[in-house]
Amino acid sequence: MPFNTLDHSRPVLIVDDSSMYRTAAKGMLQKLGYQPEMLHFAQDASEAILRCRNNHYGLVFFDYNLGDRANGFQLIDELQTKGLLAADCANIIVTGDATAEVVRGFMELSPDGYLLKPLNYTTLKERLSGFVRKKRELSDLLIYFAKKDYQAVITMVDEAFYQDDGIIVHAQRIKAEALIELGQYDDARNVLINLQGSVENGKVVLNLARIALKQRQYKQGLFLLKPLQKDPFHAASAAQLSAELNVAQIQFDLALKDIDRAIAISPKVIERHRLKVNLNMAMFNLPNAISSTKSMILESRHSFRETLDMYQLGAQLVLDQAQFATREQRLTHLSVLGKWAESWRAKFPRAAYKAMELLLFSRGNILKSDPMKGRALLQEYKTYIANIEGYQPSLLEKIELSRVYLLLGHQSEYQRLSEQINISLKKEPFTTQDKALLAYLSQWRNKVQRSRENSIKLKRDALTLIEQKSFEKASTMLAHSMDTQFTDNEVPKLLFGVLTRAWPNNWSKRDVIHLAIRCRDQLHDTDFIKSKEFSAQSRVLAQQLDYKDLAMTASMVS
């Protein structure tokens, strides 16, 4: 296509933080026929986004390094995801960073061209026509596809007469993708099979594998993707799709290896980091899930992909880790909850995080053996959301609320919410992340059930030991039971009395004082704490432990 057929009617955007490059690019584009008023500039991502909201660009040049905040990859990702670039806009990457990571990362965003700095006029003149040609010839097709008018796309391709073989292949591939969107998988496969081995082979194979996933032909999909492992521009996408195919077969360990490979090849795609978090959750590897969450947040910094739910999920996983840990480990895990809260408070508005924060700190206080504070925060949560018209909790919020209910002994509310969560996750489209999250929730519930069963057994055995007057062994068992249950008030009641007779083996006075205070705190809202029996036991323990604060009378706690 000769240069006089370039579309000079639509403006061009040059995104670069260097004023020198912007000036040089302006001069070169003017020599190629663009009028000065049609050349727009942005020195960072925020300015580029604003310009794209207000202009219909036909050509954009993106630099990778845009200063200390969002980089070129993050900018294109946001513009494409939010539909701020015209479907037929030609996107050209111009950067001095030619490292494999940067190149592969940009290729995943399907740019129309890639140019290395320092850019000169001769190179631009020779290559620009080739970069924009495909978008120009397929302009209408791309626009209809972006509008999701897939039947119009299919009709246009069937009625078109393209002369260039490359354009024909590209159009046929878009037709196949339109058929996939319409659920016509067999027809799409027939189109794609004829395109294998073409210049579009990588995308063709990926689409064939996606069809295999849709039609539950998982082994066929994995077989198709294997050759793409050596394709430098499609290996990461192939590894990600392999992970999805393995999740569909409940092969979470294999899926995790796939997604690790995808991230190693091209780490900028946040969706992959999120899937890695979900896979570690599905395998109930909480330390790795937390570590993966931190990596996801770090990679998403300065981009629109950095979201509040990332931080809240990290805090939720820390609470899970604490809930299933020993007493000493639990307190260590809970000590970092405040740091997560500090992070989201610094980045997001209070109205966005307040409700979930109340629930997270409610569970945290229950796990610290302060159910009274936990109940107070739950009530504050209910009051807070009641004052927000049409309030709809997020999925994470529903999960956290269900756990607070469970720990506080509200079994019916817990069951009701759990059923809602399961129904929500199983709705179509039933995604890979949904499957992983369901597996995680199932494992969480199983661990809770096992903890509860263990606590019941410990209490039963302790009662037998109390009858046999083996108070030391009974106190040890009841102390362990206290670490695994949070709602059975009979355990702290029994333990408080047993401590007047004997303490757990090798426990210091300090340890026993803390244990007695935990029992007292958990019993705070019960009738027992106002009884003469409790007052008498308190005075005995206060004398034995030389700790006057334990000598509480019924009148002091009422």
Side-chain angles (χ1 to χ4, degrees), residues 205-266:
V205 173
L206 287 171
N207 278 317
L208 285 169
R210 289 189 184 99
I211 292 171
L213 176 61
K214 294 284 187 182
Q215 297 188 322
R216 301 183 180 181
Q217 298 171 348
Y218 307 130
K219 294 189 185 302
Q220 173 68 11
L222 289 169
F223 175 78
L224 285 167
L225 291 171
K226 201 167 184 179
L228 287 188
Q229 292 178 4
K230 297 180 180 179
D231 183 329
F233 298 130
H234 297 100
S237 295
Q240 180 179 340
L241 190 48
S242 292
E244 295 184 43
L245 287 158
N246 276 314
V247 168
Q249 299 178 90
I250 320 299
Q251 298 284 346
F252 295 121
D253 54 340
L254 296 178
L256 186 58
K257 290 178 181 177
D258 288 329
I259 209 65
D260 274 336
R261 190 168 70 253
I263 291 172
I265 295 169
S266 182

Side-chain angles (χ1 to χ4, degrees), residues 87 140-150 152-153:
D140 292 341
L141 194 65
L142 294 168
I143 291 170
Y144 276 105
F145 193 96
K147 291 179 179 178
K148 299 184 179 181
D149 191 346
Y150 301 119
V153 170

Side-chain angles (χ1 to χ4, degrees), residues 99-110:
T99 59
E101 178 185 323
V102 170
V103 174
R104 282 195 297 257
F106 271 128
M107 287 301 117
E108 297 218 63
L109 298 173
S110 300

Side-chain angles (χ1 to χ4, degrees), residues 379-390:
Q379 185 56 49
E380 187 179 347
Y381 165 80
K382 290 181 176 180
T383 302
Y384 179 77
I385 65 170
N387 293 321
I388 303 174
E389 186 177 353

Side-chain angles (χ1 to χ4, degrees), residues 28 95 126 138 167 196 267 302 311 333 383 488 496 513:
M28 286 186 274
T95 179
E126 290 175 352
L138 298 175
I167 299 297
Q196 286 184 292
H302 308 310
Y311 292 87
H333 295 317
T383 302
D488 185 354
F496 201 78
I513 289 171

Side-chain angles (χ1 to χ4, degrees), residues 9-77:
S9 66
R10 289 165 64 181
V12 176
L13 177 63
I14 301 160
V15 186
D16 199 288
D17 63 338
S18 168
S19 60
M20 183 175 67
Y21 171 74
R22 295 195 300 269
T23 300
K26 178 181 179 181
M28 286 186 274
L29 288 169
Q30 283 185 260
K31 288 178 69 176
L32 292 175
Y34 287 96
Q35 296 300 311
E37 65 272 14
M38 301 301 287
L39 300 176
H40 299 179
F41 306 95
Q43 62 181 346
D44 56 29
S46 59
E47 188 177 358
I49 291 167
L50 181 61
R51 286 196 171 276
C52 287
R53 287 187 191 279
N54 298 318
N55 294 277
H56 186 65
Y57 291 112
L59 176 63
V60 181
F61 292 88
F62 293 95
D63 183 30
Y64 179 80
N65 296 305
L66 294 175
D68 296 332
R69 299 192 67 79
N71 59 44
F73 181 95
Q74 294 170 325
L75 171 59
I76 300 176
D77 182 30

Side-chain angles (χ1 to χ4, degrees), residues 89-145:
C89 176
N91 306 312
I92 313 298
I93 311 302
V94 185
T95 179
D97 189 344
T99 59
E101 178 185 323
V102 170
V103 174
R104 282 195 297 257
F106 271 128
M107 287 301 117
E108 297 218 63
L109 298 173
S110 300
D112 300 288
Y114 191 95
L115 295 169
L116 287 177
K117 289 183 177 180
L119 183 62
N120 60 69
Y121 174 73
T122 302
T123 301
L124 182 63
K125 180 179 178 181
E126 290 175 352
R127 302 184 64 185
L128 185 57
S129 61
F131 290 158
V132 303
R133 180 167 177 249
K134 190 185 297 181
K135 284 282 177 74
R136 286 291 304 279
E137 293 204 24
L138 298 175
S139 176
D140 292 341
L141 194 65
L142 294 168
I143 291 170
Y144 276 105
F145 193 96

